Amino acid sequence: MSERFPLYTTDYISGVMSLRKPQTASLKILEEIISAVNLRKDMNLKAALGSVHAMYPTCSDFERDFMSLTFALATGVGKTRLMGAFIAYLYTQHNIRNFFVVAPNTTIYEKLKKDLNDWNSSKYVFKGLGCFAAPPQIVTDDDYKDKQIPIFASEIRIFIYNIDKFNKESATMRKVNELIGDSFYQYLSNLPDLVLIMDESHHYRAEKGAQALNDLHPLLGLELTATPLVASGTKQVPFKNVVYEYPLSKAIEDGYTRTPFAVTRSDIDFYNFGNEQLDKMMLLDGIACHERTKTKLEVFAANHSTPEKPVRTVKPFMLVVCKDTNHAAWVEDFIKSDEFRNGAYRGKTITVHSKQKGAETEANTRLLLDVESSDNPIEIVIHVNMLKEGWDVNNLYTIVPLRTAASKILREQMVGRGLRLPYGERTGDKDVDAVMLTAHDKFQDILAEAQKGDSIFKAGNVIKAEEELDEPEEVVYAQLSLAIEPDRELERAYAQTGLVECEENDALLKTVKDYLREETERYIAQSGNSPTAPAEPEKQKIVQAIKQKIEEHQDLGKTFKDNENPFLAWIGEESEQTYTTIMGKYIPIPRIRVTDAGVEEYVFVDFDLDLSVFTHTPIRNELLIQNLEDMSDRQRIKGDAIDFEGYNPPKVILEELRKKPEIDYERCSVLLFKLITQACGHYAAAFGKNGMQNIVMMYRRDLANKIYTQMMKHFYCENGFLQEEVIDLKFSNLRQKLGCKQRMGLYEDFEGDIHSVLFEGIKKGVFAEAKFDSKEGELTLARVLERDEDVLKWLRPAPNEFNITYNRGKRYEPDFVVETADCCYLIEVKAEKDMEDPDVIAKKKRGIQYCEVATRWCKANGYKPWRYLFIPAKQVLPNSTFAQLSKQFNEG
């Protein structure tokens, strides 16, 4: 206990500063650590780390040239206030008088200066403390140039600087100062009791910033951040020096933040909207939430104010997040137009982004930093991407993310901006304690994500990355699935070469065998339409190519040189068998040539719509508000009526229909207008003009698809004189480059996106690795093929494996090729919902035609016939047999 300040225990400091639980816990941890280590400048860091790690196992490395401890506290919990508590404790209990506070940018720098220096501010961090005879002396900017630091008035000094001020060799702080007698930087590093406090410390892990901090030689480092992660390449790596973590889920649970709600429109399929229409609706619904919240806050303040204890009225604002500066400019124009609340927000809106310059930036930044003030007119802030750390406001009540993904970044950063409590604690009033996120088209995604175990609303106190960047894809080249027994191959190779068995020769033989397979694959691919086993000249070319590769091999070149003759002889002997093995693995593919594509002609027969399927009803003007923490908490409120003035329903439906490749507007405009008029008239008769406009706006894509589906039943394609012929047989299959984020065996179960999975260990497939587009259907069929006795080989064709085109030059990529004892099959697996898709039907017709042409040629030349299978995904079951599938779904 300090003799000068016996009262200032951590409990007393926590009480007098009204610290929250996580702040108190952090202060206690600092006390325990300092009590356990011998804190001095030349301390034994290894011994200190051992002590800290024993108490807090999450700290496995200080990661700096001094003892540095990270306290990872969620946004809104109060990291700056905790700084004040740390300073008070270290000063009163350990007589430390010099503190260097680092800011990562100008915004945070300005905030720290105010919070640590302005005792009139409501956020002054030393409020309640009486341990300073005079307030701590704040040294900022260029104070060191014209003041003699040792004679500052206070016993305690707090140096506050932006990292950019001193992380460069040429920084002014590193130059000699006459008043100090040394550079300011050197003066700081010589102080025996300098404690470094790093705000948003994840910014100081880059090489230059980290070295600049190391060069200060502080006694102790205290790091504060909400994201204890550092970028390493494309990954986010957790800090190794975290001694305490308090995640956002805990902050929400303990009531230190507001509760996030997602807002959407009831009964609307947002897929029917274009980008601008959806943006306008989200902005209008966002402002409706904002105005509702503004009224609620005024009522709350009026109901809870008394003459003795007035309650201030919180002035809320709305944040609009745009995808780029052009998008932001469009949003600003719309908000300031008469279409948006009759122009009521023209003088209440600012746009802030990095491309602004000069006076505009300065004026908007001042308004932005002072947005909490009741005198500030701004109620809407438009920003590109995301407002980063340091913009700590407590009156952001409505967030409108336009065209942004429902990702962890969105939830962590975007929602985090609106979590601070305007009255310092929850009031018990649901509306005052809420922040609204207009989700609309992302509503279901956000709800689903909120329920996951790693959601920010549920994730526990575990130091791990909330990934900001996707895991990079690993690139794999598919290898032939050859039935190789490495031990037997080695045994045979030793017998043929007469070499002595040893590790070096093992490695050499395996590597040479791999090179031989590669060169043989290349020979087959380049041999044209009728490859034969390599004759002596080709064999020697293969041998020489392998010799060159192995001679250049860093580890095996010398071993090869010492045994060159037996190796070269062995390669020559092996080449023919390797050729036979590889050729036996491939499925030969007939290549066709279209000699006359003819003229494609699309024809629609006149008909009337079957209106019985047009059953839509107008949607209600209603907003749905969902608590993201408590899924049982959902309410509906009346939203603004959607304005349909100037809306042209027939034109909107026509625009959708014109996107269909089979519809030639010039040739069938009369039929189109007839059908559209019938659909619009049907709804106008039932619900009136406004009801019809409502339905068309909400369901335009579905309406167009219903008309299109009926049109396709009255459609046929005249192909002209299409002539095809097989020109040769391609005996090798294309090896693919496959990207993946995880690997697993063909029969292993998995969760997540199947497109990111590479399946390995395939034996009957031409290649040992494959990727699939669907679990139900493609993956299940691959498992059936792999185990079926009738199947000799199967293949996932490469994109350019077949030269089949359809629908005006699109390339057809079949799902599978299968070879049995008496036939080859081209296979398409499709979900039931896609079976009648015209594009799918067009591919099916071309696949059937290909098999007919290929079969005629193959039968005449002594090869197996081809059949086309068109299989509904749900018909492929784990217990299916290929024989039954080929009978049931044979299209010819």
Side-chain angles (χ1 to χ4, degrees), residues 75-77 248 251-252 255-260 419-421 426 433:
T75 298
V77 169
L248 184 57
I252 295 173
Y256 294 135
T257 68
R258 281 186 268 147
T259 302
L419 291 176
R420 285 180 171 80
L421 295 163
R426 285 190 180 170
D433 296 338

Side-chain angles (χ1 to χ4, degrees), residues 188-256:
L188 291 171
S189 66
N190 289 335
L191 291 171
D193 64 344
L194 185 69
V195 169
L196 189 59
I197 300 177
M198 292 161 266
D199 195 13
E200 306 295 353
S201 66
H202 51 281
H203 289 284
Y204 319 125
R205 297 288 174 127
E207 188 176 348
K208 281 189 177 180
Q211 189 55 50
L213 299 179
N214 285 334
D215 289 347
L216 284 171
H217 303 299
L219 176 70
L220 171 68
L222 300 174
E223 305 188 35
L224 298 165
T225 181
T227 51
L229 307 166
V230 60
S232 176
T234 55
K235 292 186 177 181
Q236 294 286 319
V237 180
F239 284 16
K240 296 179 181 177
N241 65 342
V242 176
V243 293
Y244 181 65
E245 184 186 12
Y246 186 79
L248 184 57
S249 59
K250 192 68 177 162
I252 295 173
E253 180 185 326
D254 290 344
Y256 294 135

Side-chain angles (χ1 to χ4, degrees), residues 554-689:
Q554 186 175 353
D555 298 321
L556 301 176
K558 185 178 183 306
T559 307
F560 175 76
K561 268 293 183 190
D562 294 341
N563 301 279
E564 183 173 335
N565 289 333
F567 268 115
L568 294 179
W570 172 64
I571 293 168
E573 292 174 10
E574 282 289 295
S575 61
E576 192 167 331
Q577 182 177 340
T578 302
Y579 165 83
T580 303
T581 302
I582 292 174
M583 281 293 290
K585 197 64 197 177
Y586 287 137
I587 301 177
I589 306 291
R591 291 199 305 153
I592 62 171
R593 177 171 58 205
V594 178
T595 56
D596 181 6
V599 178
E600 290 184 332
E601 188 172 352
Y602 297 91
V603 180
F604 289 94
V605 180
D606 186 45
F607 71 101
D608 290 316
L609 281 179
D610 174 8
L611 294 169
S612 65
V613 297
F614 291 83
T615 56
H616 306 87
T617 58
I619 63 101
R620 294 175 293 176
N621 294 310
E622 187 176 70
L623 293 179
L624 186 153
I625 301 174
Q626 172 67 58
N627 186 328
L628 292 179
E629 186 185 9
D630 177 5
M631 288 296 151
S632 66
D633 181 4
R634 174 178 284 194
Q635 61 176 312
R636 296 178 189 270
I637 63 171
K638 184 172 175 56
D640 289 346
I642 300 170
D643 183 11
F644 298 108
E645 285 302 315
Y647 193 69
N648 187 333
K651 183 180 178 183
V652 168
I653 298 174
L654 179 62
E655 285 173 355
E656 293 297 322
L657 286 169
R658 291 183 71 169
K659 295 175 184 177
K660 309 297 183 182
E662 297 82 3
I663 295 177
D664 184 336
Y665 171 73
E666 298 300 330
R667 298 191 59 189
C668 56
S669 58
V670 173
L671 177 62
L672 284 172
F673 279 111
K674 170 188 168 181
L675 300 178
I676 292 169
T677 301
Q678 288 178 355
C680 291
H682 167 70
Y683 286 118
F687 305 107
K689 181 182 177 182

